[in-house]
Amino acid sequence: MMGQSEASSPSLLPMGFVDLLPGEAEAEAHGIAKVMDIFGAHGYERVRPPLLEFESSLLSGAGEALSEQTFRLLDPSSHRMMALRPDITTQIARISQVRLQELPRPLRLSYAGDCIVIGTVGREADRQILQAGIELIGPDHAEADAEVIALGAKALAALNIKHVSFDLSMPVLVWSLLDKTYEGSERDYIIHALDRRDAAAVAEYGGAMAQLLLEMMNASGPADQALERLKALSFPDDLKQHVYRLEASVQALKQRLPDLRLTIDPVDFRGWRYHTGLCVTVFALKSREELGRGGRYLAGNEPACGLTLHPQALLKVAPIQARRPRCLVPQGVGAEILSALHKEGFATIEDLEKTQDPLLLARRLRCSHLWQNGRVEAL
Amino acid sequence: MMGQSEASSPSLLPMGFVDLLPGEAEAEAHGIAKVMDIFGAHGYERVRPPLLEFESSLLSGAGEALSEQTFRLLDPSSHRMMALRPDITTQIARISQVRLQELPRPLRLSYAGDCIVIGTVGREADRQILQAGIELIGPDHAEADAEVIALGAKALAALNIKHVSFDLSMPVLVWSLLDKTYEGSERDYIIHALDRRDAAAVAEYGGAMAQLLLEMMNASGPADQALERLKALSFPDDLKQHVYRLEASVQALKQRLPDLRLTIDPVDFRGWRYHTGLCVTVFALKSREELGRGGRYLAGNEPACGLTLHPQALLKVAPIQARRPRCLVPQGVGAEILSALHKEGFATIEDLEKTQDPLLLARRLRCSHLWQNGRVEAL
């Protein structure tokens, strides 16, 4: 309803912030509730950290990576800097390490809430980002990896989202190779070349490791096939564990959900600097919309595996929910009738003005139904 | 779990911001969902404005009153000041006037979300405040006032909150009297005296209007009784309409909910500067906890009546929700069994380690039940 022509309107929102209107807001709330219900049913207990914290705690550890994307505020009460959360994972790690340190492990937590990022000047992108996710804290084995990813898949299924791909990677494998082989500008160059998938540059500047890196690039594809290729490569002995673990996690995941579409990209490593094991990005197959991401990391000193879904992206690909049908009811209609209509799924719209023409009013108020003569009538 | 002794912990949150832990966060989400379901069932369509907006739009009109309580941020994209919302009502007014101006009236909108206020230095109070509310935009009559307040009462009933009082007032009556009678420091003095309920000061400095003001103070009490007293007072002719309207709204409300506990305080006027008609504060009878407030105002140029509930306060007085019972299930248990357990209301906790002693593990993981031998066993 508000178009480009209103760009000069004083009511226009800052770029990246939107109003959700009737229908949209309901769909979002409904989607979050469904996802959180799936998480809760599988023992992931909900926690709710605040929208802002002291900068020093919010941006420590893994949170540091998001520092440049974070709005700061001065707290007049403590004279310390606070920060609006750009991500919830860091907060869940804090809660698990401080508030819930006495609870036995495995500790399963879930969360849903808004995050705020500064964004990139001049680039259209959401700056208020909804996250709904889970963290499995304590265990570090393939079954734990599989439980988290499988639960993400179940949440998508609950929203009737089909045609998704779970793209797995093992960034620690790439980073370990890079860290043990290259230094300084050579290292930067190889990182850049790998990130661009520039085989020629990797071949020319990769030195002794070039062959292995190129073979890793070529191993990318459907999980079974990629695993076979990866297992045939000659990784340094101390890195082979990562390939075995990747295989074990894939097997555990396939046992849970044999039909899940799994791919592996062994050289997906950028943006996963703090991760210590299996990572995953969830995509909608058609639109390539990123629906969520997660992976294994350290919450404090504890192994943890998490997955964050983006409800706003999910709702772009989820089948549209039928909205409540609206039924006009006369003023003073009995509580039993209202209650029965609500149970049938109707939203009841009361005629406050005691109209002489209920049919006309029902149409005007976007009702599809009308209560008259003791029953619901469709318009 | 985190006590005063940890006051020096670097993880401590800024004053007024809290973590909700397992149980608490679930109860909050459940409470919001229930309230929003009641609102939606009565035709109040949900909208979701963003957490922040340009200062110029968020703090215009009625929003101006909250200016001192509002955190500002510079938007690097537009170089304009943005503000974290201290309240959602202003945003709903904006949406109704700009985005939804074409929708027919009465327009019924609902919302739920967090607000952030600066708070008072050194004073313990929540600074992240959850609001869930409704706005009825367009009509200006007693039935509209009654619909909004009655729906608030229904939402409280849905949460099994009993023993509440709806305290009504007509601040415009007091402000009109003050505006037409007093000026300058005399006016300030009377405002202060009335606000303190200082009968002696009102009598001494109230001049010709002292008698009426004192009688208004004395009229406070249960709605029927207060109305009888108010109707007997000699208001200036142009202000009598407010007394009649108050009476009409009370009658309409009693017709909807005869058992609602209603009181009237005719001199409750501070903090209601922008309101144009009936106002209400909802209290829990025992704790005097404020559960919500609302009233009639102008959304742009349009008559509107709204009510905001405070879910955090509601949950302090609502009966405690039973949490999902936790049931330990062996690894690899079938999807049909899981699904049946979820339908029965269990949260299933999977044994990732294939323990030899499920009973011990179930106890350790806070489970009340255990799936073994093909059935649920209570511990």
Side-chain angles (χ1 to χ4, degrees):
Chain A
M1 302 184 190
M2 179 185 280
Q4 283 299 94
S5 61
E6 293 178 74
S8 63
S9 156
S11 299
L12 198 74
L13 295 172
M15 210 182 64
F17 294 92
V18 297
D19 294 319
L20 296 191
L21 298 183
E24 300 166 342
E26 188 69 40
E28 184 185 89
H30 182 81
I32 297 170
K34 239 185 179 161
V35 166
M36 296 309 288
D37 184 60
I38 295 285
F39 293 163
H42 290 81
Y44 285 74
E45 295 176 285
R46 189 169 186 154
V47 291
R48 199 236 54 186
L51 284 167
L52 50 84
E53 294 196 17
F54 287 128
E55 182 183 13
S56 52
S57 82
L58 195 63
L59 303 179
S60 64
E64 209 185 321
L66 291 164
S67 177
E68 286 181 17
Q69 276 301 315
T70 306
F71 279 110
R72 269 81 163 177
L73 299 162
L74 182 68
D75 180 10
S77 199
S78 63
H79 301 288
R80 292 172 62 189
M81 287 308 285
M82 305 190 296
L84 283 173
R85 67 179 177 204
D87 179 76
I88 303 182
T89 310
T90 320
Q91 298 185 299
I92 306 299
R94 174 183 59 72
I95 289 176
S96 73
Q97 299 309 297
V98 180
R99 308 291 310 272
L100 303 178
Q101 60 180 338
E102 307 294 343
L103 282 188
R105 272 47 177 170
L107 179 63
R108 292 171 170 91
L109 299 176
S110 64
Y111 58 91
D114 285 305
C115 300
I116 305 277
V117 295
I118 289 182
T120 310
V121 171
R123 252 196 73 200
E124 284 279 0
D126 286 338
R127 297 202 282 169
Q128 176 171 332
I129 297 163
L130 192 55
Q131 294 188 343
I134 47 174
E135 302 290 334
L136 175 53
I137 296 151
D140 180 3
H141 48 56
E143 288 296 342
D145 298 339
E147 174 171 308
V148 168
I149 297 174
L151 190 48
K154 283 183 195 177
L156 299 185
L159 294 175
N160 284 315
I161 297 175
K162 289 156 189 163
H163 312 297
V164 289
S165 173
F166 284 70
D167 294 4
L168 306 175
S169 60
M170 207 68 175
V172 63
L173 183 59
V174 185
W175 284 114
S176 302
L177 260 183
L178 294 173
D179 289 345
K180 73 186 316 172
T181 313
Y182 307 100
E183 280 183 341
S185 63
E186 189 193 29
R187 186 171 170 280
D188 295 341
Y189 192 85
I190 288 292
I191 287 177
H192 193 55
L194 264 187
D195 191 40
R196 288 198 324 269
R197 317 280 155 143
D198 182 342
V202 171
E204 192 169 350
Y205 300 95
M209 212 52 88
Q211 188 57 28
L212 181 58
L213 290 173
L214 288 170
E215 287 168 341
M216 286 174 74
M217 283 169 67
N218 282 330
S220 177
D224 290 339
Q225 197 177 311
L227 272 174
E228 284 315 307
R229 288 190 190 158
L230 274 178
K231 278 156 58 185
L233 303 187
S234 355
F235 286 102
D237 280 348
D238 58 328
L239 300 188
K240 283 180 178 160
Q241 47 159 332
H242 297 306
V243 179
Y244 301 145
R245 173 62 174 274
L246 177 58
E247 183 179 26
S249 298
V250 167
Q251 294 316 327
L253 192 49
K254 288 177 75 105
Q255 201 158 11
R256 285 160 189 262
L257 298 172
D259 298 329
L260 198 63
R261 188 188 166 99
L262 286 177
T263 67
I264 294 175
D265 180 354
V267 291
D268 181 16
F269 69 109
R270 291 298 288 273
W272 300 105
R273 197 63 184 103
Y274 289 88
H275 291 79
T276 57
L278 184 69
C279 291
V280 61
T281 314
V282 189
F283 285 106
L285 275 182
K286 276 184 205 161
S287 61
R288 291 307 287 173
E289 182 94 40
E290 184 180 311
L291 304 178
R293 56 166 56 213
R296 179 161 288 287
Y297 66 102
L298 286 175
N301 293 316
E302 250 188 314
C305 185
L307 181 71
T308 304
L309 297 178
H310 304 301
Q312 289 153 339
L314 298 182
L315 291 168
K316 282 186 204 164
V317 297
I320 289 162
Q321 294 289 328
R323 291 169 68 172
R324 279 184 221 252
R326 291 160 63 87
C327 179
L328 186 75
V329 296
Q331 201 186 111
V333 68
E336 309 75 33
I337 292 170
L338 280 182
S339 173
L341 288 171
H342 295 157
K343 277 210 185 92
E344 283 180 55
F346 286 104
T348 53
I349 318 296
E350 195 176 309
D351 168 17
L352 288 173
E353 271 86 16
K354 300 188 181 170
T355 179
Q356 296 303 309
D357 190 344
L359 193 64
L360 185 71
L361 182 65
R363 288 219 175 90
R364 206 170 61 76
L365 294 181
R366 298 173 289 127
C367 296
S368 55
H369 294 75
L370 175 63
W371 175 269
Q372 65 180 5
N373 309 320
R375 61 192 163 93
V376 175
E377 293 177 8
L379 296 202
Chain B
M1 298 183 189
M2 179 185 277
Q4 282 299 91
S5 63
E6 293 178 73
S8 62
S9 156
S11 298
L12 199 73
L13 295 173
M15 210 181 64
F17 294 92
V18 297
D19 294 319
L20 295 191
L21 297 183
E24 299 167 341
E26 188 70 41
E28 185 186 89
H30 183 81
I32 298 169
K34 236 178 181 167
V35 166
M36 295 308 288
D37 184 59
I38 294 286
F39 293 164
H42 290 80
Y44 285 74
E45 296 176 286
R46 189 169 186 154
V47 292
R48 199 236 54 188
L51 285 167
L52 50 83
E53 293 196 18
F54 287 127
E55 182 184 13
S56 52
S57 84
L58 195 62
L59 303 179
S60 65
E64 207 185 323
L66 290 163
S67 177
E68 285 181 17
Q69 276 300 314
T70 305
F71 279 111
R72 268 80 163 178
L73 298 162
L74 182 68
D75 179 10
S77 199
S78 64
H79 301 288
R80 291 172 63 187
M81 286 310 284
M82 305 189 296
L84 283 172
R85 66 178 178 205
D87 179 77
I88 303 182
T89 310
T90 321
Q91 296 185 299
I92 306 300
R94 175 183 57 73
I95 288 176
S96 73
Q97 299 310 297
V98 180
R99 307 292 309 271
L100 303 178
Q101 60 179 337
E102 308 293 344
L103 282 187
R105 270 51 176 167
L107 179 63
R108 293 170 169 90
L109 299 176
S110 64
Y111 58 89
D114 286 304
C115 300
I116 306 277
V117 296
I118 289 181
T120 310
V121 172
R123 253 195 71 200
E124 285 279 359
D126 287 338
R127 297 202 282 169
Q128 176 172 331
I129 297 163
L130 191 55
Q131 293 188 342
I134 46 174
E135 301 291 335
L136 174 53
I137 296 151
D140 179 4
H141 48 57
E143 288 297 340
D145 298 340
E147 173 172 309
V148 168
I149 297 175
L151 190 48
K154 283 184 194 176
L156 299 185
L159 293 175
N160 283 315
I161 297 174
K162 289 155 189 164
H163 312 297
V164 289
S165 173
F166 283 70
D167 294 5
L168 305 176
S169 60
M170 207 68 176
V172 64
L173 183 59
V174 186
W175 285 114
S176 302
L177 261 182
L178 294 173
D179 289 344
K180 74 187 315 173
T181 314
Y182 306 101
E183 279 184 344
S185 62
E186 189 193 30
R187 186 172 171 279
D188 295 343
Y189 192 84
I190 287 291
I191 287 177
H192 191 54
L194 264 188
D195 190 39
R196 288 197 324 271
R197 317 279 154 145
D198 182 342
V202 170
E204 191 170 351
Y205 300 96
M209 213 52 89
Q211 189 57 30
L212 181 58
L213 289 173
L214 288 170
E215 286 169 340
M216 286 174 72
M217 283 169 68
N218 282 330
S220 177
D224 289 339
Q225 197 177 311
L227 272 174
E228 284 315 306
R229 288 189 189 159
L230 275 178
K231 278 157 57 186
L233 303 186
S234 354
F235 287 102
D237 281 347
D238 58 330
L239 300 188
K240 283 180 180 160
Q241 48 160 330
H242 297 306
V243 180
Y244 301 146
R245 173 64 174 272
L246 177 59
E247 184 180 28
S249 298
V250 167
Q251 294 316 328
L253 191 50
K254 288 176 74 107
Q255 201 158 12
R256 286 162 189 261
L257 298 173
D259 298 329
L260 198 63
R261 188 188 166 100
L262 285 177
T263 68
I264 293 176
D265 181 353
V267 291
D268 181 15
F269 68 109
R270 291 298 289 271
W272 300 106
R273 196 62 183 104
Y274 290 89
H275 292 78
T276 57
L278 185 69
C279 292
V280 61
T281 314
V282 190
F283 286 105
L285 274 182
K286 276 183 205 162
S287 61
R288 290 307 288 171
E289 182 94 40
E290 183 180 312
L291 304 177
R293 56 166 57 213
R296 178 161 289 286
Y297 66 103
L298 286 176
N301 293 317
E302 249 187 316
C305 185
L307 181 72
T308 304
L309 297 177
H310 304 302
Q312 288 153 339
L314 297 182
L315 291 168
K316 282 187 203 162
V317 297
I320 289 162
Q321 292 291 327
R323 290 170 69 173
R324 279 182 221 253
R326 291 160 63 86
C327 180
L328 186 74
V329 296
Q331 201 185 108
V333 69
E336 308 75 34
I337 293 170
L338 281 182
S339 172
L341 288 170
H342 296 157
K343 278 212 183 89
E344 283 179 56
F346 285 106
T348 54
I349 318 296
E350 194 175 311
D351 168 16
L352 288 174
E353 271 86 17
K354 298 187 183 170
T355 180
Q356 295 301 308
D357 190 344
L359 194 64
L360 186 71
L361 182 65
R363 288 218 176 89
R364 207 171 59 77
L365 293 182
R366 297 173 289 128
C367 294
S368 55
H369 294 76
L370 175 63
W371 175 268
Q372 64 181 6
N373 308 321
R375 60 194 164 93
V376 176
E377 295 177 8
L379 295 201

